[in-house]
């Protein structure tokens, strides 16, 4: 069973203790896995008021906040309590209008759990499925892609990326072939923790990538200098991982009141303000925060609603985070 005293999760809990957004019509903790649906924000269409961005290669729109599954969805087969809790997270995500769920074979049982809970919650037709190849060698990559399709329980995957640039050249023919056969729709590569930016940029120049994924947050803004401008110039969609810097941002703002002007942006929590900073960059397509808590998921997806900060307000967010 996962350690329930995870320090970064507890840091967020201490200052993010509120019920789900009232508009979501969700109650905690009484959901059951068998519950088929929940009330939605925004009337009949929960995506109606969400800020979205277009995938440059196709023009398809995605809400700017998605959901990651690293650590949070790596749950053993016998841990039914944790799986029920993640079903609630998934319900909160889709009730708020979310679409993109990102996973990887690197994340243990996460793909299996996501596939099971999409079926349990009846949301398979609503997801924008995003996973990765994470293995050396073309043969192993082909086998891993087949296994991912089985675990997600979907007829096709929306996006498959080469995780952490592992043997990209070997896997690229596999991705092209899978797209030609209709098993996947988009192709991409990922990196994280601010690493290997030079190699990522070389691939952005040399390969017809649909998506790239890398880290970007208020305390980690190196991507603003080269990666985000290049993605915009090349017409490549951008997924942001670690938008809360692995959870460390919550420790830095713990005990500090949210600036009063945050209400102008529709924010009632630091998490929403810091997430809006990330997704308001015009080159960002979607950010994928991860959480174990339905209430936190509802707060995160709410960051895709309301006004987005302009350049002046973005600078103000950075200053507020620094305590200035």
């Amino acid at each position: 069973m996962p350690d329930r005293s995870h320090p970064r999760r507890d840091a967020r809990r201490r200052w993010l203790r509120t019920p789900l957004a009232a508009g979501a019509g969700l109650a905690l903790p009484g959901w059951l896995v068998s519950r088929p649906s929940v009330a939605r924000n925004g009337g009949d269409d929960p995506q109606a008021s969400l800020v979205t961005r277009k995938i440059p290669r196709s023009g398809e729109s995605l809400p700017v906040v998605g959901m990651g599954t690293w650590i949070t969805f790596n749950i053993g087969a016998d841990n039914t309590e944790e799986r029920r809790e993640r079903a609630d997270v998934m319900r909160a995500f889709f009730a708020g209008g979310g679409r993109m769920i990102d996973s990887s074979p690197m994340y243990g049982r996460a793909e299996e759990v996501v596939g099971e809970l999409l079926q349990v919650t009846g949301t398979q037709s609503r997801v924008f499925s995003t996973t990765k190849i994470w293995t050396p060698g073309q043969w192993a990559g082909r086998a891993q892609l087949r296994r991912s399709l089985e675990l997600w329980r979907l007829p096709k995957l929306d996006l498959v990326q080469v995780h952490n640039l592992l043997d990209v050249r070997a896997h690229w023919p596999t991705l092209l072939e899978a797209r030609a056969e209709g098993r996947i729709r988009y192709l991409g590569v990922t990196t994280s923790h601010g690493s290997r930016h030079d190699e990522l940029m070389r691939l952005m120049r040399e390969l017809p990538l649909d998506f790239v994924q890398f880290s970007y947050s208020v305390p980690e803004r190196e991507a603003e200098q080269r990666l985000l401008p290049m993605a915009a110039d090349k017409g490549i969609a951008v997924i942001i991982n670690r938008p809360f810097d692995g959870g460390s941002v919550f420790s830095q703002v713990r005990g500090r009141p949210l600036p009063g002007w945050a209400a102008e942006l529709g924010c009632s929590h630091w998490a929403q303000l810091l997430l809006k900073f990330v997704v308001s960059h015009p080159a960002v397509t979607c950010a994928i925060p991860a959480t174990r808590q339905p209430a936190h998921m509802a707060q995160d997806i709410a960051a895709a609603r309301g006004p987005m900060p302009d350049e002046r307000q973005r600078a103000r967010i950075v200053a507020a985070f620094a305590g200035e």
Side-chain angles (χ1 to χ4, degrees), residues 134-208:
W134 185 66
T135 185
Q138 187 179 73
W139 181 88
R142 289 177 184 274
Q144 198 169 73
L145 177 56
R146 288 194 298 269
R147 181 59 175 157
S148 290
L149 277 161
E150 293 171 358
L151 291 174
W152 279 76
R153 307 186 190 188
L154 297 172
K156 67 174 67 174
L157 294 165
D158 291 299
L159 166 63
V160 177
Q161 307 148 99
V162 180
H163 197 160
N164 286 341
L165 309 182
L166 181 58
D167 216 355
V168 174
R169 301 292 181 177
H171 299 312
W172 193 249
T174 298
L175 296 180
L176 291 174
E177 178 184 284
R179 184 171 64 181
E181 294 173 349
R183 291 184 291 148
I184 64 178
R185 299 174 60 218
Y186 299 104
L187 322 178
V189 297
T190 84
T191 187
S192 60
H193 298 281
S195 63
R196 304 176 70 181
H197 284 184
D198 288 341
E199 183 177 355
L200 177 60
M201 292 179 68
R202 184 167 60 254
L203 292 169
M204 292 167 71
R205 286 190 292 267
E206 296 176 358
L207 295 178

Side-chain angles (χ1 to χ4, degrees), residues 20 24-27 30-41 43-44 46 87-88 90-96 117-124 126:
L20 288 174
L26 305 176
W31 291 338
L32 298 174
V33 168
S34 59
R35 184 171 177 176
S37 63
V38 292
R40 300 174 175 178
N41 285 324
D44 292 334
D88 292 348
M90 194 172 284
R91 290 190 180 100
F93 176 69
F94 285 109
L117 298 185
L118 285 171
Q119 190 170 60
V120 163
T121 57
T123 51
Q124 290 170 306
R126 297 164 64 185

Side-chain angles (χ1 to χ4, degrees), residues 4 9-21 28 250 254 268-271 293 295-296 299:
R4 292 182 178 274
R9 182 180 65 180
D10 290 347
R12 186 173 184 179
R13 280 177 169 174
R14 278 190 287 270
W15 58 268
L16 264 179
R17 289 179 178 171
T18 64
L20 288 174
L28 286 173
F250 302 123
R254 184 186 306 148
S268 54
H269 305 283
W270 274 104
Q293 300 298 314
H296 296 168
Q299 290 158 9

